[in-house]
Amino acid sequence: MIGVDWGTTSLRAYRIGAAGAPEARIDRPGGILTVPEGGFPAALREAIGPWLVEGETKVLLCGMVGSRQGWVEAPYLRCPAGPAEIAAATTPIPFEGAELRLIPGLTTEDGSGIPDVMRGEETKLVALAETIGSGLACLPGTHSKWARLEGGRVTGFTTHMTGETFAALSQHTILARTSVEGPDVPEAFARGVERARQPGGLLHHLFGARTLHLMGRLAQAETRSFLSGLLIGHEIAAAAQGVAQVHLAGAASLSALYAAALAQNGIAVTRHDPDLVAAGLRHIGRSLQWV
Amino acid sequence: MIGVDWGTTSLRAYRIGAAGAPEARIDRPGGILTVPEGGFPAALREAIGPWLVEGETKVLLCGMVGSRQGWVEAPYLRCPAGPAEIAAATTPIPFEGAELRLIPGLTTEDGSGIPDVMRGEETKLVALAETIGSGLACLPGTHSKWARLEGGRVTGFTTHMTGETFAALSQHTILARTSVEGPDVPEAFARGVERARQPGGLLHHLFGARTLHLMGRLAQAETRSFLSGLLIGHEIAAAAQGVAQVHLAGAASLSALYAAALAQNGIAVTRHDPDLVAAGLRHIGRSLQWV
């Protein structure tokens, strides 16, 4: 089978056998935002045509290709969901010469009845759940996802707009004056994480990044790291309350920050290779009996 | 005496007698950011020259004119501080033909030892404290100030970066797509305030403004008000925890939002005329025996 992770900015395709690492992979720009109206069949054929010619006939797609801005909108599937439920909820797309199926995103509601969604991350989480079975997983990023995994399924999750909030605050508020780009300062990051553990609330803590600088207690080169620690600390306080261990899978530098902040909160961290999509596609393909 | 509130964007001057409302007032643009290097004496003379000619010889200034970007930096005075302490800490400025004094900003530290500052608001709070004696005061805005007033003095305060965070998030994140300018929607605002009372944390609640819209449960015209209620609700949860009554003094439309959010949190609100600076200048002037 062929697995495709087609996001907003890139297309990654994997030629997948029954087990182990993918036999071949393609990584190219050409995210869904670059595809012209009606251009998805041609764009996919351009990317994976040779594999189709060589006899692959099953193609499983995940990511924003299944969003309202993508090829076809694949409705969100409600948690709890594992490979079997996700496979059963895939959306077929007519395509000359191969069977195409689109993986749904997941949706859940928190205890207050407010909805949450993910699209693309469900495939990574399926792979993580296959490895760890049960636990709390964190995929840090622009919109960090925290998912409860139980018996190989995603039973619920929350999204935290941490990365995007960091970008907006560090570039478009009074903090921008001192939040200069530069190397991470671990000590300043740790001070931000510590601050998040204190009372006062995030909106008050943000102003502290300004006053500490004004009082000569936080250098300009430290403000950005302090702010990063403050926001990640607040995310962890909300998402990992009362949790003893977190499974972390994300880009190396960001994961290192989260691991440090989790450790500072007394939470054990297990780090995982973030390259999980191919394995997730294989697990869902197995439920479709494609591998 | 003459009282001057000289901020970043405007200059307001008051001719003040011993009691009651100012005898005359001037309100003009020409904030400190428009004053060229060394231009403060000339700019002040241009604004209040006629009153000086008529025999006023005492001028008391407050606001950002006393900041690092202003005329002379007036060091922050530590809380607790009332009119007497503030008057004693004013900074004299040499000026031909009149006695000029600059009001200091205030500083405090929270229980965790993190500093906070205000500059300009202390003068309004002096006036409010004269009226109410003791209580919790809120001056909502870009950087909202919550001050504890006791026996006519400011004993401590916290700043919340709510207004500026609202602007950054509603203009520079994914929420900008749906946070269109438009009339306030009280019902959506109340939903945001309610959401802030639920668990999950602000960074998670922010993403809810996106998912509620995605799920057709929050209209585009409602998103901005929901986000406003969410942030103000989080500010109140942090700043007014366990408080029964708040004294509110701010611009009419913003105060109406805060009053609604406070009421929704079961907190009694007393609204005050936000035009407090002249009275505060008079009270501090009285401690200087200028009126």
Side-chain angles (χ1 to χ4, degrees):
Chain A
M1 64 172 276
I2 298 168
V4 181
D5 174 17
W6 205 344
T8 46
T9 59
S10 69
L11 182 155
R12 293 193 177 93
Y14 308 90
R15 197 168 177 177
I16 297 170
E23 295 155 13
R25 63 173 68 202
I26 291 162
D27 191 345
R28 47 192 276 168
I32 64 160
L33 300 179
T34 69
V35 177
E37 178 91 26
F40 281 97
L44 183 66
R45 206 174 291 278
E46 194 191 325
I48 62 167
W51 294 347
L52 296 174
V53 169
E54 288 165 29
E56 295 287 356
T57 59
K58 313 283 192 187
V59 184
L60 189 58
L61 299 102
C62 73
M64 293 304 280
V65 64
S67 71
R68 212 166 287 176
Q69 291 77 41
W71 189 338
V72 169
E73 187 173 359
Y76 291 105
L77 173 65
R78 183 170 289 269
C79 288
E85 292 88 353
I86 292 173
T90 50
T91 300
I93 309 181
F95 188 79
E96 177 79 29
E99 185 178 351
L100 253 62
R101 287 191 163 267
L102 211 48
I103 289 175
L106 297 186
T107 185
T108 189
E109 284 189 1
D110 67 15
S112 311
I114 304 295
D116 208 330
V117 296
M118 62 168 59
R119 192 179 288 284
E121 293 92 348
E122 73 293 326
T123 304
K124 296 181 181 184
L125 290 168
V126 158
L128 202 54
E130 177 90 3
T131 308
I132 66 169
S134 299
L136 180 65
C138 171
L139 309 181
T142 307
H143 298 165
S144 296
K145 302 290 181 185
W146 291 75
R148 290 182 298 285
L149 307 179
E150 290 173 33
R153 301 197 305 170
V154 182
T155 56
F157 60 91
T158 56
T159 305
H160 298 255
M161 242 173 76
T162 310
E164 201 173 13
T165 299
F166 174 72
L169 293 174
S170 63
Q171 291 170 38
H172 301 287
T173 68
I174 195 171
L175 302 177
R177 294 189 202 169
T178 49
S179 295
V180 291
E181 296 273 357
D184 288 344
V185 185
E187 197 190 4
F189 179 84
R191 286 172 67 193
V193 173
E194 181 58 29
R195 181 59 171 153
R197 294 163 54 82
Q198 297 167 353
L202 175 54
L203 295 168
H204 170 54
H205 290 171
L206 290 173
F207 194 69
R210 171 79 186 147
T211 50
L212 282 168
H213 175 68
L214 209 57
M215 295 301 185
R217 289 168 53 185
L218 187 71
Q220 179 155 320
E222 298 174 326
T223 303
R224 198 175 159 83
S225 285
F226 179 86
L227 179 59
S228 170
L230 185 59
L231 290 170
I232 291 174
H234 271 278
E235 176 185 342
I236 288 171
Q241 205 172 13
V243 165
Q245 190 194 15
V246 168
H247 294 271
L248 189 59
S253 59
L254 191 59
S255 282
L257 293 177
Y258 274 74
L262 285 161
Q264 202 174 328
N265 277 276
I267 299 169
V269 181
T270 307
R271 288 176 71 172
H272 297 265
D273 186 339
D275 193 5
L276 292 164
V277 172
L281 288 162
R282 189 175 64 240
H283 296 319
I284 298 166
R286 194 187 298 147
S287 285
L288 288 166
Q289 301 186 309
W290 282 7
V291 285
Chain B
M1 64 172 276
I2 299 168
V4 181
D5 174 16
W6 204 345
T8 46
T9 59
S10 67
L11 182 156
R12 293 194 177 92
Y14 308 90
R15 197 166 178 180
I16 298 171
E23 295 155 13
R25 62 174 68 202
I26 290 162
D27 190 344
R28 47 192 278 168
I32 64 160
L33 299 180
T34 68
V35 177
E37 178 91 26
F40 281 97
L44 183 65
R45 207 173 290 278
E46 195 192 323
I48 63 166
W51 294 346
L52 296 174
V53 170
E54 288 165 29
E56 295 287 357
T57 60
K58 313 284 191 186
V59 184
L60 189 57
L61 299 101
C62 73
M64 294 303 280
V65 66
S67 71
R68 212 165 288 178
Q69 290 79 40
W71 189 340
V72 169
E73 186 173 359
Y76 291 105
L77 173 65
R78 183 170 290 269
C79 288
E85 292 87 352
I86 292 173
T90 50
T91 299
I93 309 180
F95 187 80
E96 176 79 30
E99 186 178 350
L100 251 63
R101 288 192 162 266
L102 209 48
I103 289 176
L106 297 186
T107 185
T108 190
E109 283 190 0
D110 67 16
S112 311
I114 304 294
D116 208 331
V117 296
M118 62 169 59
R119 193 178 287 284
E121 293 91 350
E122 74 292 327
T123 304
K124 295 181 182 184
L125 290 168
V126 158
L128 203 53
E130 177 90 4
T131 307
I132 65 170
S134 299
L136 179 64
C138 171
L139 309 180
T142 307
H143 297 166
S144 296
K145 303 290 182 186
W146 290 75
R148 289 182 298 286
L149 307 179
E150 291 173 32
R153 301 197 305 170
V154 182
T155 56
F157 61 90
T158 56
T159 304
H160 298 255
M161 240 174 77
T162 310
E164 201 173 13
T165 299
F166 174 73
L169 293 174
S170 64
Q171 291 170 37
H172 301 287
T173 68
I174 196 171
L175 301 178
R177 295 190 202 169
T178 49
S179 295
V180 291
E181 296 273 357
D184 288 344
V185 185
E187 197 189 4
F189 179 84
R191 286 173 66 193
V193 173
E194 181 57 29
R195 180 59 170 152
R197 294 163 54 83
Q198 297 167 354
L202 176 54
L203 295 167
H204 170 54
H205 290 172
L206 291 174
F207 194 68
R210 171 80 186 147
T211 50
L212 282 169
H213 175 67
L214 210 57
M215 295 301 184
R217 289 168 53 187
L218 188 70
Q220 179 156 318
E222 297 173 326
T223 303
R224 197 175 159 83
S225 285
F226 180 86
L227 179 59
S228 170
L230 186 58
L231 291 170
I232 291 174
H234 272 276
E235 176 185 342
I236 288 171
Q241 206 171 15
V243 165
Q245 189 193 17
V246 168
H247 293 271
L248 189 60
S253 59
L254 191 58
S255 282
L257 292 177
Y258 274 75
L262 285 161
Q264 202 174 328
N265 277 278
I267 299 169
V269 181
T270 307
R271 288 176 71 172
H272 297 265
D273 185 340
D275 193 5
L276 292 164
V277 172
L281 288 162
R282 188 174 65 241
H283 297 319
I284 297 166
R286 193 188 298 148
S287 286
L288 288 166
Q289 302 187 308
W290 282 8
V291 286

